[in-house]
């Protein structure tokens, strides 16, 4: 079954214009305990999918007959985030769950997040948190069809590093590789983990599985790069989201275009996301997410790598990406 996403290029999906007019929102860098959030040990379930007014959770209790519940929210008890969020929870959130029926429950508490990846929702001042508390971000890019786009990879890499999330690059569709220069090799040279894969012929699937084993891993990347296919290869079966949820308190809801934790796994699929917001990154901090800049010689010791004379990093391959992100951070666009 092919998941029926509502198209990858509409709704809240990324565009320069939207990012520009709404910014990314910021969260406090040092994660002091925030009012309204639970401590992690109070949580009893993990959010697996988010719908307009409810969500789906997997409860921790492994002895339970059913662990998958559709939940509504006890809103008065949920935290009030600094920045208004589109939904009270995100996929990966640890929550306190109260059972109210065989398959229904209510969420009355959300634990503090270790990390999050978000995007601004268009047409509103709300932030859309896609995933929280993840261990690894798998940045998926096709070697061909669609063409490998380094700028996109760079933005994902920065977003992950800023949230202290391990990032790996998964190059898909290697069966389509026709020789010649491999633009993703650069990332391996810099020190990032790069895995060449193919869901058609199974190339690299074992290596990918080993690399993310036991970790809550989110697969991101442009629409059509092969995320769902490689996830299906990892699972050994077609993965797809459930068509709808229904609870005793509400009628069925249609699927949304959010992230989705594949049942029985620690793998999260996402629709074609072009970028995550560059949350909480100061312009001067950006260079620290480009490890290859370290050790380059600039004539100014605290060079911002912008207009400075004698700046040694401007010849590096990822400089144009750095510069685009720097300018957007300086303009407050995240
Ligand atoms: N040749 C080839 N095509 C692939 C491979 N993986 C996915 N595709 C095709 O690429 C298209 C998009 O794949 P999909 O997994 O839906 O991408 P997603 O949008 O990133 O989830 C589909 O037509 C797949 O059949 C691969 O390894 N090799
Ligand atoms: Mg997909
Ligand atoms: Zn410089």
């Amino acid at each position: 079954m092919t998941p029926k996403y509502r198209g990858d290029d509409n709704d809240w999906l990324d565009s320069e214009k939207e990012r520009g007019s709404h910014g990314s929102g910021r969260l406090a860098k040092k994660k002091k305990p925030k009012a309204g959030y639970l401590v992690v040990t109070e949580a009893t379930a993990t959010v697996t999918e988010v719908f307009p007014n409810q969500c789906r959770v997997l409860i921790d209790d492994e002895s339970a007959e059913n662990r998958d519940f559709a939940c509504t929210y006890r809103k008065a008890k949920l935290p009030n985030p600094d920045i208004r969020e589109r939904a009270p929870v995100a996929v990966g959130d640890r929550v306190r769950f109260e059972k109210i029926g065989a398959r229904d429950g209510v969420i009355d508490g959300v634990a503090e997040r270790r990390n999050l990846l978000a995007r601004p929702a268009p047409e509103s001042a709300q932030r859309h948190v896609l995933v929280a508390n993840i261990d690894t971000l798998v940045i998926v890019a096709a070697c061909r069809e669609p063409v490998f786009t380094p700028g996109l990879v760079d933005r994902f890499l920065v977003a992950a590093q800023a949230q202290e999330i391990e990032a790996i690059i998964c190059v898909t569709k290697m069966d389509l590789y026709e020789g010649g220069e491999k633009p993703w090799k650069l990332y391996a040279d810099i020190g990032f983990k790069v895995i060449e894969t193919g869901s058609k012929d199974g190339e690299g699937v074992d290596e990918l599985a080993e690399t993310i084993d036991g970790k809550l891993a989110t697969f991101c990347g442009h629409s059509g790069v092969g995320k769902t296919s490689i996830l299906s290869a990892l699972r050994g079966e077609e993965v797809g989201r459930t068509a709808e949820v229904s609870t005793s308190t509400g009628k069925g809801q249609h699927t949304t275009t959010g992230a989705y934790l594949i049942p029985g796994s620690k793998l999260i699929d996402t629709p074609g996301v072009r970028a995550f917001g560059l949350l909480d990154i100061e312009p001067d901090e950006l260079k620290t997410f480009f490890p290859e800049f370290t050790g380059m010689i600039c004539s100014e010791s605290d060079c911002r790598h912008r207009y400075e004379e004698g700046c040694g990093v401007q010849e590096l391959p990822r400089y144009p990406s750095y510069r685009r992100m720097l300018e957007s951070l300086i303009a407050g666009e995240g």
Side-chain angles (χ1 to χ4, degrees), residues 1-7 241 255-256:
M1 180 195 116
T2 316
K4 292 198 173 45
Y5 297 140
R6 240 192 55 202
R241 69 176 67 225
T255 61
T256 59

Side-chain angles (χ1 to χ4, degrees), residues 298 303-306 308 310-314:
C298 298
C303 186
R304 206 180 208 193
H305 315 313
R306 197 177 184 207
E308 294 85 351
C311 171
V313 312
Q314 301 196 0

Side-chain angles (χ1 to χ4, degrees), residues 3 5 227-229 269-271:
Y5 297 140
K227 295 178 295 296
T228 304
S229 302
D269 198 0
T270 66

Side-chain angles (χ1 to χ4, degrees), residues 20-31:
S21 55
H22 297 289
S24 65
R26 315 225 128 208
L27 76 166
K29 176 88 181 187
K30 293 289 167 259
K31 294 174 189 134

Side-chain angles (χ1 to χ4, degrees), residues 35 54 75 84 107 122 133 152 214 224 248 253 264 285 305:
Q54 49 191 278
K75 286 229 170 83
R84 225 150 56 83
I107 286 172
N133 305 317
L152 213 96
S248 53
Q253 303 265 352
E285 192 190 7
H305 315 313

